[in-house]
Amino acid sequence: MQALPQSLLNSVERSRENSRLKRLTKLQADCSRLGMFDASQLHAALDDPNVAEHYQQWAKRIDELRITALAGGVNRGDRRALFHLIAAFKPDEVLEIGTHIGASTVYLASALASRPGAAAPTGRLTTVDIIDVNDPAAKPWLRSGSPCSPRDLLARLELDWAVEFIAQPSLTYLSGAERKFDLIFLDGDHSAATVYQEVPKALRCLNPGGLILLHDYFPNGKPLWSNKLVRLGPWLALNRLAEEGCELRVVPFGELPWETKLGSSRSSLALISSGQSPVA
Ligand SMILES: C[S@@+](CC[C@H](N)C(=O)[O-])C[C@H]1O[C@@H](n2cnc3c(N)ncnc32)[C@H](O)[C@@H]1O
């Protein structure tokens, strides 16, 4: 049987995502706590040679863990971008939605726990997944080809003290969270309907000046890589929020100074910062 062309699959996904999104009533999104981080600050962060040196020290240790690149975790180039962003933005409290095998978790934790020049450990990470990613009976990491649980990966790096694991749906966690965060990374269910609900709740969980980071953000709903695949959810959700008057700006990471996937250096990471501009 012949495979359907990716462009056809993309249009099917677009109409499915749109129809689920339209069923949701308008939500109030208060952007007043959002901080500002523009494209020039982002590129300065990615090009910072001091961070690059610090990253190389961690990357050597992390590579020994043999985190698989084939299990839907954030790709290695994007993980490096997370490390640089943390080093530049210097959040104290970070929330990750979507732990999975812990690929991004490990890089967020290593950057948070050890800023260059800091005399003491500097930050904490809370990571949420709809399943118990460390369940010793079900061992979900094995299904994804990862050698050990996210908690064990962190323990091997002596970073387990810096991370709290929560097994809950994102919307439940964000509705009840008492803690506030400087950076919230949304990498869970990437559907438009879920991201449309996650962002207003995440905005309420931010410390003043905080930022939200998206994964699988495809600017203008266009493919980023040669495989032509598009995940439309985050982009459709942010478009709707902007159309409804939410004062936010999406800053896509674009081309990184290193390889990401499929022989390219393109990234699907994007920051939600304050400001008013059309959502690309
Ligand atoms: C793309 S993976 C995250 C990859 C991870 N950041 C990494 O680099 O290894 C998405 C994860 O989100 C989780 N997830 C899906 N829907 C969710 C929801 N509504 N709330 C919380 N987690 C969810 C899935 O169980 C899955 O582990």
Side-chain angles (χ1 to χ4, degrees), residues 23-38:
R23 274 184 241 142
L24 296 176
T25 52
K26 180 180 170 183
L27 297 173
Q28 292 305 321
D30 174 4
C31 295
S32 60
R33 291 172 195 238
L34 264 181
M36 174 73 86
F37 206 80
D38 63 22

Side-chain angles (χ1 to χ4, degrees), residues 71-75 79 96-105 128-131 133 168-171 185 187-190 194 198 215-216:
V74 169
N75 72 62
R79 291 181 224 153
E96 174 183 55
I97 300 292
T99 320
H100 188 45
I101 57 169
S104 47
T105 315
V128 175
D129 203 287
I130 200 164
I131 65 159
V133 293
Q168 248 178 23
S170 58
L171 297 177
F185 178 38
D187 189 26
D189 168 353
H190 298 87
T194 301
E198 282 175 340
H215 196 238
D216 281 352

